[in-house]
Amino acid sequence: MKHRGRHRRRKQGRALRAFLAGTALALTGAATLISTSQATVSADPGALKPLPSDVSLETLRLHEEPLPSPASAAGGTVGVGAVLADADHTLRPAADCTGAERRALPVSPAATRVHCWAEDDTEGWRPGAVTTSGDADDDGRWGANRVVLSGWSDHRGAARVAVVDANDSARLSYTWVLLAVPAVDGRDNRPLLSPLSGMVWYQDKLLVTGDEGRALYVYDLDRIQRTTTDDATTDRTPGGPAARGIGYVLPAVGSYRLPGGTRMGGLSLDRSTTPDSLVASESVPAGDDRPTRLWRYSLSDDPSGAGLLTTGPYEAYETKATDVRGVLSYRDRWYLARAAGEHDGHGTLWRQDPGGAQAARCGTDETYQCWSGPAQSLSHWEETGEVWSQSGRVLFSLPLHTIDRALD
């Protein structure tokens, strides 16, 4: 479908739709005792430090890099609706998730919706970022559909996205799309080889971190290619989509690159700003002495797609939190999902602003290790108020106001 240009500003106070309504799961977990390593992971990162310097912001400026035109597909191109109609897999409901899968869920606050991926369909693949049709359009739908996109990568870094039909909250079905990048000679498309740490669906474009966070690739979701045995990607690339049993491939149509050694980690969309903004977190390993930077770029609602993303950030902060896997910004608050420590079962979700930081506590020892483990990206579906994420083979969501209550 083509972008409809209906990005109406939604304000607070809208009721949660029945699609995401449900009773909170009675999930419990034994909190891990705080060890020296846990104390390091749990240390209060304190207040955000603004970076007003033009020099600091300039180091986060994106440089647009043109790509060759994607190779044509023998099977033709389709949109998201056609891919949904071809959904050939189903996620398991919460009741069918194993005990090990449920232990990866947040302890506090508890998830309200839980679905689990099939082991034989995800074996050898690592979960990554999540985005939804709540990012794509502010009515929460793409056409008539509610959709979740879930990113995965294998041991080589090859990236694929599950296009999930979320119209029926009791039964989520999906099919796979392999992400690709046009080859320099334009004769074929090679698989994108990079973990999907960040992913945002805005209008008809999908923005994805690539090259280990050094680049941002742009995909047109109206140009998803059907794969056939005649496709160049299948013939020329070992392990191409058809060889992997994947019926669709999506080649990039544009890219941006960060200067120097800066690497993006998490991405999310913030609809509380005017205009909407793309939020990013820096990838800084645990134990690194340098702070983590958080920043945002303006997005355009121009239906022509011109000027989708401004290359220069207009706001940036530093945080003492490291190993940030998911970032979310809404109004004046930032939410950071941190990975679990080496011996910890759960990560930590911090809410930060220039005034300080808060995190939920759980267990008899009041540990901060209450979020999912391992922590992954965060995506806010503003129309419903839900935050989506995934951990291991578990896809889950819960209301943002529930997170705030647990952190207050």
Side-chain angles (χ1 to χ4, degrees):
M1 64 169 277
K2 299 297 182 184
H3 170 58
R4 294 163 292 159
R6 297 188 300 109
H7 288 264
R8 304 178 300 275
R9 179 65 51 201
R10 298 296 178 110
K11 300 299 182 181
Q12 60 180 337
R14 65 166 69 86
L16 294 176
R17 293 174 181 258
F19 163 65
L20 291 174
T23 304
L25 299 174
L27 299 171
T28 59
T32 308
L33 293 176
I34 297 179
S35 62
T36 302
S37 65
Q38 286 175 313
T40 300
V41 173
S42 300
D44 188 336
L48 292 178
K49 178 184 176 182
L51 292 179
S53 166
D54 290 341
V55 174
S56 298
L57 294 178
E58 190 64 26
T59 63
L60 300 173
R61 179 178 293 276
L62 293 168
H63 298 276
E64 189 168 3
E65 295 186 342
L67 292 177
S69 298
S72 59
T77 60
V78 299
V80 173
V83 175
L84 290 174
D86 200 24
D88 51 358
H89 302 277
T90 304
L91 282 126
R92 288 172 287 140
D96 293 338
C97 296
T98 68
E101 290 166 341
R102 295 169 74 89
R103 283 193 292 274
L105 287 164
V107 176
S108 177
T112 54
R113 288 193 54 198
V114 173
H115 302 271
C116 292
W117 304 90
E119 182 175 3
D120 59 356
D121 199 30
T122 55
E123 184 176 2
W125 293 83
R126 296 173 295 173
V130 173
T131 184
T132 73
S133 55
D135 283 348
D137 203 343
D138 61 2
D139 70 353
R141 298 174 183 269
W142 191 245
N145 296 299
R146 295 183 181 273
V147 188
V148 175
L149 302 183
S150 169
W152 295 73
S153 59
D154 68 7
H155 67 284
R156 299 183 306 134
R160 66 178 183 175
V161 172
V163 181
V164 182
D165 183 339
N167 289 305
D168 182 353
S169 60
R171 184 183 183 277
L172 302 190
S173 57
Y174 66 96
T175 194
W176 295 107
V177 175
L178 191 74
L179 297 185
V181 178
V184 175
D185 60 9
R187 297 177 59 191
D188 57 9
N189 302 313
R190 61 174 178 83
L192 172 66
L193 299 177
S194 181
L196 299 184
S197 62
M199 188 166 65
V200 166
W201 179 3
Y202 190 70
Q203 301 175 22
D204 58 353
K205 300 298 189 294
L206 182 65
L207 304 171
V208 173
T209 54
D211 299 349
E212 303 292 336
R214 299 181 185 89
L216 189 64
Y217 286 93
V218 183
Y219 293 87
D220 188 335
L221 288 169
D222 287 329
R223 300 184 188 179
I224 302 171
Q225 299 180 353
R226 292 186 187 273
T227 62
T228 72
T229 55
D230 296 327
D231 286 339
T233 307
T234 302
D235 294 340
R236 299 172 182 269
T237 306
R244 293 166 175 262
I246 297 176
Y248 299 93
V249 62
L250 181 59
V253 296
S255 68
Y256 300 88
R257 190 164 294 274
L258 280 168
T262 303
R263 296 189 184 191
M264 284 179 284
L267 291 178
S268 65
L269 179 71
D270 188 351
R271 287 194 177 278
S272 69
T273 59
T274 304
D276 299 333
S277 57
L278 179 71
V279 173
S281 62
E282 187 176 11
S283 179
V284 176
D288 200 307
D289 292 335
R290 62 193 174 97
T292 297
R293 288 176 292 181
L294 314 171
W295 67 97
R296 68 173 78 241
Y297 305 100
S298 291
L299 287 161
S300 171
D301 62 359
D302 182 350
S304 71
L308 176 69
L309 177 68
T310 61
T311 57
Y314 69 89
E315 180 182 50
Y317 296 93
E318 283 185 350
T319 173
K320 294 179 181 178
T322 56
D323 209 7
V324 174
R325 302 297 178 87
V327 61
L328 197 67
S329 174
Y330 193 65
R331 299 195 175 99
D332 59 348
R333 294 172 165 179
W334 291 71
Y335 303 81
L336 309 179
R338 297 187 64 196
E342 183 179 354
H343 304 292
D344 309 327
H346 288 83
T348 305
L349 182 65
W350 287 100
R351 185 183 66 201
Q352 283 187 275
D353 58 34
Q358 297 82 34
R361 291 178 179 267
C362 58
T364 57
D365 55 358
E366 292 289 284
T367 177
Y368 288 127
Q369 263 77 45
C370 305
W371 191 242
S372 65
Q376 294 292 348
S377 75
L378 305 171
S379 181
H380 181 217
W381 197 321
E382 193 199 30
E383 181 257 342
T384 62
E386 293 282 334
V387 173
W388 285 80
S389 187
Q390 59 185 8
S391 180
R393 290 197 300 271
V394 184
L395 176 70
F396 66 92
S397 68
L398 67 165
L400 180 60
H401 69 77
T402 300
I403 293 176
D404 282 330
R405 270 205 312 268
L407 304 184
D408 287 336

